Amino acid sequence: MEPVRAEPPPGRADPPRVESPQSAVELARLLRNAGYEPHRIQQRLATGEELLARSPELPSYLRRLGDADELAVLLRLFVLGVPVTRARLDELVGTELRARLAGAGLFVQDAEVVHGAARLVPHDELLIASDHAGAAEAHADHVPGVHRPSVALAHLTVRGRVERALDLCTGNGIQAILLAAHAEHVVATDVNVRALAYAAFNAALNGAGNVETRAGSFFDPVQGEQFDLVVANPPYVVSPEAMYLFRDGGLPGDAVSEHVVRATPAALAPGGFACVLIAWALDADDPAERPRSWLMGSGCDGFLLHTSTDDPLETATVWNRDLLDRPEDYADALDRWLAYYRELGIEHLGYACLVLRKRVDGGDGWLEAQQLPRAALRPAGRHVRRLFEMHDQLSAIGSDDVLLDRRPRIVEGAVVTQDTRFEGGRWRAESLTLRLENGLPFSAELDPPTARLIRELDGSRTLAEALTAALDSDATRATGLSLARRMLEIGFLELGD
């Protein structure tokens, strides 16, 4: 039986290399032909979740997987990080695939045992290589795989055909690859040259030939340039450490987020969008106060899509999970992080995706905060763009009198569901919930008057007419008007005319 502990290759391997763009694309094709796809991996490992990090279920995965076919050998090497014997590799993995993997530097030979030099995980249609999860210890330039913040950033990015895009702090390059599908040219920057090597390999592996990598800190490699779209997943964690380049920015408190937010507007072309993950010391009385202050005079409009507010212990716990199998080190890290937050007077930490739009008129911008539900995100870039468009429309409309003459309608993909309870020998209708099937995961419970109003808002009548038809008093109509404005602001309604 082979060992059940995930182990990095001896001496830590170099990032994989690109022999040629054609060779990289062919490698991806051969892997997919071998079954290296999300649904096949989930079936083989009996897990419904992506393998985003090192898993305590490794012994179970290995026993379920076995090592008797090609896909099992590939998953042991490149997903689970477990070596196989040379004989097993040669017996089960096709000759051409073995040659392509070797040419890319993805094998490390250790006597009669072969290690996977990198982690290689499919995410939807993409294949993303990174360092093995267990290789993080003591390596500041560790390159992680795709984590949940990366997925959130991808889902919230405002997309569309653009000429130039920038992926700041690219890491393994997944954001740059996604940008490459709708941008003529993508620049990916990182201070970590190891990350840039992975980003270049992953771009080639996924056929993204329009990605250029540049080494340097934050915006230094693109000083004086402007882009139509900027995405950034910087080392925003408010951390006392200087351990990992991908996590610890080396600046006190939330200074990394402040630096990136203040510098982003200069890199945006007029009309361009930026989507930046940030964390900040949050004041419970005015959660958006610090991000708002960073944007003063920036010439950008913005939505602060607030994903969560954590207390110091929650944050320290989340960002030190890699130490869970070393309880003493884990406890020491928690104490060190909590002492750091006490020293800075931090009681709450906010996390958000800050979406900016550079004003064409050069005027002062605005910032609106939207609290996102704690629900799984899905692709929502179109919805985020609509938030900006609706803010513009409502600003132009101005007064309620003008709004009452417009014809709002529920957006496509809105769904109303009703809960019913069996009680006293019969079914009784309970709450109605309005939710969006696409975009941001907003939902709202409907009382009977609101449910009547929703049915009237189909674009065939003015808002004034809909309020009169659905609501029976001036007071409820005033409440309904306020509700309709709020539903426009968050994307449940659009203006049909």
Side-chain angles (χ1 to χ4, degrees):
M1 183 73 182
E2 294 181 14
V4 298
R5 174 177 169 79
E7 300 175 354
R12 197 169 70 138
D14 291 332
R17 54 185 176 267
V18 180
E19 290 185 289
S20 70
Q22 296 78 15
S23 178
V25 170
E26 182 63 13
L27 171 57
R29 185 188 70 80
L30 291 169
L31 285 167
R32 291 189 178 96
N33 287 348
Y36 214 84
E37 296 178 323
H39 70 281
R40 288 286 302 278
I41 294 176
Q42 289 166 6
Q43 287 174 351
R44 291 298 299 269
L45 298 177
T47 175
E49 298 182 359
E50 287 185 277
L51 291 166
L52 294 174
R54 184 166 45 179
S55 172
E57 300 300 320
L58 178 62
S60 173
Y61 289 153
L62 287 172
R63 284 158 177 78
R64 183 180 298 277
L65 184 62
D67 64 349
D69 62 83
E70 184 177 53
L71 182 58
V73 169
L74 295 172
L75 295 182
R76 292 169 81 93
L77 287 170
F78 301 118
V79 172
L80 302 180
V82 173
V84 300
T85 64
R86 181 87 233 182
R88 210 63 166 156
L89 179 70
D90 292 344
E91 176 190 356
L92 295 174
V93 178
T95 302
E96 186 179 1
L97 178 53
R98 287 204 318 274
R100 296 287 184 186
L101 290 166
L106 283 163
F107 290 145
V108 175
Q109 183 83 27
D110 181 20
E112 294 304 313
V113 170
V114 177
H115 298 256
R119 199 161 189 262
L120 189 59
V121 178
H123 297 276
D124 295 327
E125 300 301 314
L126 302 181
L127 284 169
I128 300 297
S130 64
D131 282 327
H132 283 290
E137 298 160 12
H139 293 294
D141 60 353
H142 175 77
V143 180
V146 177
H147 287 76
R148 286 181 178 85
S150 304
V151 175
L153 179 58
H155 286 340
L156 295 173
T157 295
V158 177
R159 302 195 184 275
R161 298 303 308 180
V162 296
E163 184 176 342
R164 304 189 76 226
L166 171 65
D167 177 16
L168 190 80
C169 306
T170 189
N172 59 48
I174 187 170
Q175 307 299 336
I177 296 164
L178 293 171
L179 292 174
H182 57 92
E184 293 296 318
H185 184 70
V186 180
V187 177
T189 72
D190 206 296
V191 72
N192 183 356
V193 295
R194 186 180 182 85
L196 291 178
Y198 270 110
F201 176 78
N202 286 328
L205 192 65
N206 292 282
N210 53 341
V211 175
E212 173 193 356
T213 59
R214 299 185 194 176
S217 178
F218 296 116
F219 288 95
D220 288 352
V222 293
Q223 192 69 36
E225 299 180 50
Q226 289 191 325
F227 298 85
D228 307 299
L229 178 57
V230 174
V231 301
N233 185 3
Y236 58 79
V237 180
V238 179
S239 158
E241 312 284 10
M243 187 176 296
Y244 301 125
L245 290 171
F246 75 87
R247 185 191 69 182
D248 310 312
L251 298 177
D254 54 18
V256 166
S257 292
E258 179 177 359
H259 172 70
V260 173
V261 170
R262 289 185 182 276
T264 295
L268 272 180
F273 282 91
C275 304
V276 183
L277 295 184
I278 64 170
W280 71 100
L282 180 144
D283 181 346
D285 294 329
D286 186 2
E289 188 275 330
R290 283 185 65 74
R292 188 184 302 114
S293 71
W294 300 340
L295 287 168
M296 293 293 292
S298 67
C300 286
D301 303 322
F303 276 98
L304 184 73
L305 302 178
H306 191 163
T307 53
S308 67
T309 299
D310 292 352
D311 64 32
L313 182 56
E314 287 176 299
T315 288
T317 299
V318 164
W319 293 105
N320 288 284
R321 283 180 299 196
D322 60 321
L323 299 176
L324 280 171
D325 56 355
R326 292 146 50 196
E328 290 186 7
D329 291 342
Y330 182 50
D332 288 344
L334 294 182
D335 290 340
R336 188 166 59 252
W337 284 52
L338 293 175
Y340 181 69
Y341 297 139
R342 284 194 298 271
E343 179 185 347
L344 295 178
I346 295 175
E347 296 181 356
H348 300 92
L349 287 147
Y351 293 89
C353 180
L354 177 62
V355 186
L356 302 177
R357 180 186 61 179
K358 187 71 169 287
R359 294 181 68 95
V360 176
D361 61 12
D364 291 337
W366 45 263
L367 179 69
E368 298 285 347
Q370 295 284 2
Q371 181 70 52
L372 297 185
R374 281 198 181 236
L377 286 173
R378 56 208 171 201
R382 291 182 180 179
H383 190 165
V384 175
R385 185 189 290 273
R386 288 206 315 271
L387 296 181
F388 284 89
E389 293 169 349
M390 184 53 64
H391 190 284
D392 293 342
Q393 292 182 51
L394 290 175
S395 296
I397 288 171
S399 71
D400 286 342
D401 289 340
V402 178
L403 181 59
L404 286 166
D405 287 335
R406 301 298 297 270
R407 299 175 184 271
R409 65 186 176 206
I410 296 291
V411 298
E412 292 289 330
V415 176
V416 174
T417 57
Q418 183 170 51
D419 291 335
T420 58
R421 180 188 298 274
F422 192 74
E423 190 175 73
R426 58 181 293 185
W427 287 103
R428 299 181 183 275
E430 291 195 336
S431 61
L432 288 167
T433 302
L434 174 67
R435 60 181 174 84
L436 295 176
E437 205 168 44
N438 303 303
L440 297 171
F442 290 130
S443 64
E445 288 196 13
L446 306 177
D447 57 19
T450 306
R452 291 196 300 271
L453 177 59
I454 292 299
R455 285 194 291 270
E456 299 293 333
L457 295 175
D458 60 2
S460 66
R461 65 194 72 200
T462 67
L463 178 56
E465 292 168 341
L467 290 169
T468 299
L471 307 175
D472 55 11
S473 71
D474 289 343
T476 56
R477 283 193 285 273
T479 300
L481 173 60
S482 176
L483 176 64
R485 183 177 282 275
R486 178 59 181 154
M487 292 174 68
L488 285 163
E489 290 171 347
I490 64 175
F492 279 118
L493 290 175
E494 60 187 4
L495 294 172
D497 54 358

